[in-house]
Amino acid sequence: MALPHDEVLPMHPSLSRPAAATVLAIALAAVGLGPAASPAAAATIPAGSGSYTDSRPAGTSGPTTNTGAPVTPKVTAAAKDKPVPTNDWWSSLAFQRYGDNPYSTPMYGHPLTYQATSGGLQVGYPTTPAIVGEGRQYEYAHKADLTLGLSGLNSPDTKADDWSDWTVTPYWSDGTRTLRTTIGHGMPFVYAKGSGGDARVTTASTPTVFADNGNVLGITVAGHHYALFAPTGTDWNVSGTAITAGLGGKDYFSLAVLPSTDALATYRKYAFSFVTGSKVTWQSTGGTVNATYSLTTEAKEGTERGTLQALYRHQWLHTSDALTSYTYVSPRGTMKVRESASFTTSQKNQGVLPALPASSGVDKARLTGYLNEVANASDPFSGASDTYWTGKALGKLAQLVPVADQIGQTGIRDKLLGLMKGRLQEWFTAGGASEFSYDKNWKTLTGYPASYGSDTELNDHHFHYSYYVYAAAIVAQYDQAWAADSAWGTMVKTLVRDAANPSRTDTAYPFLRGFDVYAGHSWASGHQGFAAGNNQESSSESINLSAGLVLWGAATGDTGLRDLGSYLLTTESEAIGQYWFDADQQVFPGSFTHDTVGMVWGSGGAYSTWWTANPEEIHGINVLPVTGGSLHLARKKAAITRNIAEMERENGGPAVEWRDILWEFQALADPAAAKSKWDAGNAGYAPEAGESKAHTYHWITTLDSLGAPDMSVSGDIPTSAVFAKGGVRTYAAHNYGSTARTVTFSDGATLSVPARSTATGTGTGGGDPDPDPEEPGPSTGNTFRLKTGGTLTTATDGAAGADTIASADGVNRDGTPYRPTVYEIKKVDGTYASGSSTTFRLRVDAGTTVALAPQVRVSYDLTGDGTFDRTETFRYFATDPVAGWEEYTQAVGTKAVTGSLGNLKGGTVRLEIWNALGAGTAQVQTGTDAAVLKIPFV
């Protein structure tokens, strides 16, 4: 019996307590998965020195329904030869996991949610979170506000007709009527093309009409505002919950969710600029990763080709492109709207090292002893036979090869390399007990023996194959001939094509199978057959693939794969920080009491894993494997500290079972604390299955010696990193090239690195360490800067910026926040300084617009319970009509004060600024000493 889920991992052998059932708001039915028939003979396909087959081994299964029946992609004839990107937010359109549902399960596009039915497309906009599973999960579950379709449509199924990087086009046909809709991440519109019937929208309850302009209708359903757009010259008819419009000989209509009713005019402008495709491009140069996200459009009426896009938090935090004042609610926090068909993000490259650099803190004799324990083990692979556990064993050995080399233990190094080559070559050769097989229907490569649904559900390929790519990259570092395409490199690249193909024209594998470029992270389920959408548990194993691509590309001279790895890792790093660790404390609902989630779902997140409710595994599953690709986690040091503290609270004390993983995690923020735990507990523990005492000892003692990673500095090659301790920066880089080179860091320091070597040193010409500008300041102290992104921080570095203050829309808003720009910090402790008062210093600019009036309200939730105990509304500031910054302070005086001040204990401080008058937008400066709130606490 097996659960129809995506990534159930078995209990680690060292677990002493029984696995607890995780409470999820999804029904998981236990079913049997029987083998499907296999052809009698299979062809062997050469791949350099390796090979794979074009058919599964006898007695094994490929993709199946939940009853064990073989299943093929559910696509239209137009898409039958196009590789399906399984493991996506909409995969249930193409993978009919459940035999009684030929349509889809809920799909979470954000801000809208969707579900295909016989009559068309359900559309919802969930804005209120539910806390379920005994407080362990938050979700914005799909609930249909309306269904978009055609009069009389009754389709027997829904198929995928077309797709691009983050959009998809579902297709319905009942023999008389056909319907196509285009939907996507960040799209407030649904674009429809239909034939054989009138446009029909059926609402879940009787709608309120707030605008009726013939072919443009504004309605409110369940508190959410929608606009319906039919071709010019037609008219919408409302009858109860049925809304219809003849299409006047045309075949198009559209729908949009509005952030407010007064946004109708703006959204009407783009109603007939139909999105036809989406594409991301990326570039990694000089320590920076830039990515541009573009939509292609077609003008159904007029000439307008622009559109509106809602950006996720991980995107708008890293764009300098102009955004509107419109926002949406989502499970990933606030989404902000851009009025354009494209936007660009820019982030520092998150460096990857093959191993932490040499340091004086490592006792070479002790480390040698630990290395020999692994190299001389009777079974270094611990009995692993399937793709996942073999991968973990390969990963364990791969981490030790550069460590052994670093201390001169070349014999151990070469023995480990020999073990890795032997096992990789076994898997990379068809016909043995383990092999890879290609499925021409699903256009995927599956390793057999498979595990955790990697065969029947197409789950987790990026997890499993990450270890093979990473291990191959370490081999390539020492043996370039082995990694040549004519040798074993072609098989490595074939695994990459399956899990993270950068090509959109490859007819054998889909583009980036598991990585959702707009969501910013990967998905693990191949079928997405859950009420909560798709999910990903071990985001760190997804990062492992990205890091492996960086190292493999660098080692083999494939700059395309190297830069792909940099883009994937840098993008997913921010998504992990925001959506798994809630690093800025701006994503998880206030009613959700956890500081981290083990799993991210389309609908939200869960403090859980697939296989246990043990806090150590919940916190550790998004850390392992710890490698030179894990350094990115140090960007969010405060989140690491909160994460470890919560684990120990939930666990009733420090880690026992996965202590090595969590020690290594803590060392990225507080090496001394991690070293203390290692010193006290290293004698009597069993390493996690993918770990070793050799690697854990080297990791912790090196960071204790050099300091935690300093993520405020990046090198101009992706295989570089910086560490800081006691005011001293240590620079490290690995040069895979055949000639020496100088690596330049963003603080001006340089480091000379010999050919095919790692170098480390204090650099030449660098500056002193500064706090990480991407790291929110500690929630103590009484002076906070406004930071773009809606946060207050005690950090005093970072670039100056500006946020838009929305228009008052010509209405007097004096004293009442209207679409305010909000800045907030949570979990603040402080003692009220009696007699002191709130002060602030802000710079605002209304440009040349006359009669705008920025106004501030400061609120205090003293205990963090969600209720503000004190609010202070200040008088508005009369701006001048001359472009340029003007200073606004508390000296204007208060307009209204409610409640009383007291001590802050885990409290929340919020500053809101809005325009009280006028009909234009203004700006408020961020990130400088002229953007400061000081609270009356010590």
Side-chain angles (χ1 to χ4, degrees):
M1 302 293 284
L3 291 176
H5 56 222
D6 66 79
E7 50 184 295
V8 180
L9 305 179
M11 290 182 63
H12 183 274
S14 68
L15 292 183
S16 58
R17 69 185 72 176
T22 299
V23 181
L24 296 172
I26 302 125
L28 300 176
V31 297
L33 299 178
S38 180
T44 296
I45 302 168
S49 296
S51 57
Y52 58 95
T53 64
D54 67 355
S55 185
R56 296 185 303 274
T60 63
S61 293
T64 64
T65 67
N66 61 317
T67 59
V71 63
T72 56
K74 190 160 59 77
V75 299
T76 64
K80 67 182 177 63
D81 296 323
K82 190 175 179 180
V84 176
T86 55
N87 311 78
D88 215 331
W89 66 275
W90 57 265
S91 295
S92 62
L93 274 175
F95 194 137
Q96 188 177 342
R97 176 63 181 162
Y98 299 101
D100 58 352
N101 181 5
Y103 304 104
S104 81
T105 54
M107 301 173 289
Y108 292 82
H110 306 147
L112 291 172
T113 62
Y114 316 96
Q115 185 166 6
T117 67
S118 61
L121 183 70
Q122 288 184 356
V123 179
Y125 174 41
T127 53
T128 303
I131 307 301
V132 298
E134 299 178 356
R136 300 172 70 88
Q137 181 171 348
Y138 77 88
E139 61 176 7
Y140 293 78
H142 167 70
K143 182 179 181 181
D145 289 335
L146 48 85
T147 300
L148 178 152
L150 300 172
S151 297
L153 178 66
N154 185 21
S155 178
D157 59 22
T158 310
K159 297 180 174 72
D161 184 57
D162 194 15
W163 51 86
S164 57
D165 287 8
W166 62 89
T167 65
V168 65
T169 299
Y171 170 88
W172 295 257
S173 176
D174 62 8
T176 301
R177 291 156 286 265
T178 63
L179 174 69
R180 291 174 176 84
T181 63
T182 297
I183 56 179
H185 279 316
M187 286 171 47
F189 285 94
V190 176
Y191 305 97
K193 293 182 67 176
S195 64
D198 294 341
R200 179 182 176 92
V201 173
T202 306
T203 56
S205 59
T206 302
T208 299
V209 176
F210 65 82
D212 188 348
N213 302 308
N215 70 314
V216 179
L217 185 71
I219 61 172
T220 301
V221 182
H224 304 140
H225 310 301
Y226 292 91
L228 311 181
F229 305 98
T232 298
T234 63
D235 190 19
W236 290 100
N237 176 63
V238 181
S239 177
T241 59
I243 306 173
T244 57
L247 297 179
K250 306 293 179 24
D251 67 351
Y252 56 84
F253 59 105
S254 65
L255 170 157
V257 61
L258 304 179
S260 60
T261 56
D262 57 10
L264 178 59
T266 300
Y267 280 66
R268 181 175 186 171
K269 179 180 178 182
Y270 302 107
F272 300 112
S273 179
F274 274 41
V275 168
T276 57
S278 56
K279 184 177 182 179
V280 64
T281 58
W282 59 85
Q283 184 180 43
S284 177
T285 56
T288 301
V289 176
N290 296 315
T292 298
Y293 300 82
S294 303
L295 295 173
T296 55
T297 61
E298 174 188 4
K300 290 295 185 181
E301 292 185 7
T303 60
E304 180 59 62
R305 298 291 298 275
T307 190
L308 296 158
Q309 297 184 76
L311 278 64
Y312 283 113
R313 181 176 182 83
H314 77 274
Q315 295 170 324
W316 56 255
L317 281 173
H318 296 288
T319 187
S320 58
D321 292 338
L323 303 174
T324 70
S325 59
Y326 298 130
T327 62
Y328 289 104
V329 173
S330 87
R332 311 291 179 254
T334 299
M335 300 182 79
K336 296 189 176 184
V337 177
R338 173 160 166 77
E339 193 171 2
S340 175
S342 69
F343 64 90
T344 297
T345 61
S346 182
Q347 290 179 259
K348 290 177 181 173
N349 198 337
Q350 305 303 307
V352 178
L353 294 174
L356 294 186
S359 76
S360 60
V362 173
D363 182 324
K364 293 182 181 180
R366 185 177 185 183
L367 179 56
T368 299
Y370 288 142
L371 288 166
N372 276 318
E373 288 180 5
V374 178
N376 298 328
S378 59
D379 180 7
F381 292 92
S382 304
S385 61
D386 63 75
T387 47
Y388 181 73
W389 288 98
T390 298
K392 282 183 72 75
L394 285 166
K396 176 176 67 176
L397 301 183
Q399 299 313 309
L400 300 183
V401 170
V403 169
D405 185 57
Q406 188 180 101
I407 63 171
Q409 292 292 341
T410 56
I412 298 176
R413 176 200 69 189
D414 292 343
K415 183 172 185 178
L416 295 172
L417 283 169
L419 289 168
M420 292 163 59
K421 288 179 184 179
R423 187 55 60 96
L424 285 169
Q425 290 166 199
E426 176 188 327
W427 274 91
F428 289 170
T429 303
S434 44
E435 66 178 17
F436 287 95
S437 298
Y438 181 75
D439 185 318
K440 65 180 183 298
N441 291 321
W442 287 97
K443 301 188 187 309
T444 187
L445 191 75
T446 302
Y448 293 92
S451 50
Y452 312 122
S454 60
D455 50 353
T456 57
E457 301 179 21
L458 298 184
N459 299 333
D460 301 356
H461 284 203
H462 61 312
F463 292 167
H464 296 207
Y465 301 170
S466 73
Y467 292 101
Y468 294 76
V469 175
Y470 200 111
I474 295 298
V475 173
Q477 181 178 334
Y478 296 93
D479 188 346
Q480 290 186 304
W482 184 93
D485 288 350
S486 58
W488 301 97
T490 297
M491 275 302 298
V492 177
K493 290 181 179 179
T494 304
L495 265 65
V496 172
R497 287 171 68 197
D498 179 78
N501 190 4
S503 172
R504 297 180 182 82
T505 59
D506 188 340
T507 58
Y509 298 94
F511 173 70
L512 296 179
R513 178 183 305 278
F515 192 82
D516 186 328
V517 296
Y518 205 89
H521 60 81
S522 297
W523 295 112
S525 171
H527 56 76
Q528 188 257 312
F530 304 98
N534 213 322
N535 72 88
Q536 179 160 265
E537 184 182 61
S538 183
S539 61
S540 48
E541 287 181 303
S542 180
I543 287 287
N544 195 44
L545 176 59
S546 304
L549 290 172
V550 171
L551 297 182
W552 171 263
T556 61
D558 190 332
T559 56
L561 285 183
R562 180 200 66 188
D563 292 349
L564 168 64
S566 291
Y567 164 67
L568 297 178
L569 194 157
T570 300
T571 304
E572 192 154 21
S573 173
E574 186 63 62
I576 291 166
Q578 298 298 333
Y579 311 140
W580 274 261
F581 298 155
D582 197 17
D584 296 340
Q585 299 181 288
Q586 296 291 311
V587 173
F588 295 173
S591 51
F592 184 66
T593 59
H594 295 284
D595 286 324
T596 190
V597 294
M599 306 169 71
V600 162
W601 288 87
S603 64
Y607 186 77
S608 61
T609 72
W610 276 111
W611 83 103
T612 180
N614 180 19
E616 296 185 30
E617 282 75 18
I618 292 171
H619 289 259
I621 192 60
N622 285 291
V623 179
L624 64 80
V626 177
T627 76
S630 303
L631 302 178
H632 76 98
L633 293 168
R635 291 178 57 243
K636 309 293 186 181
K637 293 183 178 67
I640 293 175
T641 299
R642 289 196 302 270
N643 195 306
I644 295 293
E646 179 180 20
M647 184 280 296
E648 293 184 349
R649 288 196 306 270
E650 295 286 330
N651 203 45
V656 175
E657 293 150 358
W658 276 11
R659 65 181 77 179
D660 45 2
I661 299 296
L662 294 163
W663 290 338
E664 291 170 302
F665 186 35
Q666 186 170 20
L668 291 168
D670 189 347
K675 178 64 160 49
S676 177
K677 289 178 178 178
W678 161 267
D679 289 341
N682 70 77
Y685 80 97
E688 187 273 333
E691 261 299 346
S692 64
K693 286 190 176 181
H695 181 253
T696 302
Y697 169 71
H698 181 267
W699 181 271
I700 292 173
T701 53
T702 299
L703 291 177
D704 184 55
S705 179
L706 301 181
D710 183 347
M711 306 307 290
S712 68
V713 183
S714 59
D716 64 358
I717 64 172
T719 51
S720 59
V722 183
F723 306 86
K725 180 178 181 180
V728 176
R729 280 190 177 130
T730 298
Y731 303 84
H734 188 85
N735 175 15
Y736 285 92
S738 58
T739 59
R741 68 161 297 161
T742 297
V743 177
T744 301
F745 293 84
S746 58
D747 64 348
T750 60
L751 181 68
S752 296
V753 190
R756 307 198 187 287
S757 300
T758 295
T760 183
T762 54
T764 302
D768 294 329
D770 295 317
D772 187 343
E774 293 192 85
E775 178 66 31
S779 53
T780 58
N782 65 356
T783 302
F784 304 97
R785 280 190 181 189
L786 279 63
K787 179 181 176 182
T788 294
T791 60
L792 296 170
T793 176
T794 56
T796 56
D797 55 357
D803 286 338
T804 299
I805 309 173
S807 169
D809 293 332
V811 177
N812 188 326
R813 313 287 184 179
D814 185 15
T816 303
Y818 176 69
R819 292 161 58 190
T821 301
V822 180
Y823 303 89
E824 188 175 85
I825 187 166
K826 296 182 178 180
K827 299 188 178 178
V828 182
D829 295 329
T831 302
Y832 173 51
S834 181
S836 300
S837 58
T838 303
T839 63
F840 60 86
R841 180 186 178 209
L842 303 176
R843 282 183 180 168
V844 294
D845 180 25
T848 58
T849 305
V850 178
L852 299 187
Q855 188 166 25
V856 159
R857 181 168 76 180
V858 178
S859 304
Y860 298 92
D861 172 0
L862 299 176
T863 61
D865 63 358
T867 300
F868 285 99
D869 306 282
R870 166 86 165 189
T871 62
E872 302 172 2
T873 304
F874 293 84
R875 299 184 186 279
Y876 61 70
F877 179 77
T879 57
D880 64 31
V882 180
W885 296 113
E886 302 174 72
E887 190 163 278
Y888 174 25
T889 75
Q890 77 289 339
V892 297
T894 56
K895 177 180 177 65
V897 176
T898 63
S900 302
L901 286 170
N903 294 337
L904 282 163
K905 187 171 180 60
T908 299
V909 180
R910 175 184 293 175
L911 182 147
E912 300 164 275
I913 184 167
W914 70 98
N915 278 321
L917 303 172
T921 61
Q923 297 278 302
V924 58
Q925 196 173 92
T926 61
T928 74
D929 288 335
V932 173
L933 168 68
K934 185 174 182 179
I935 62 176
F937 294 83
V938 294

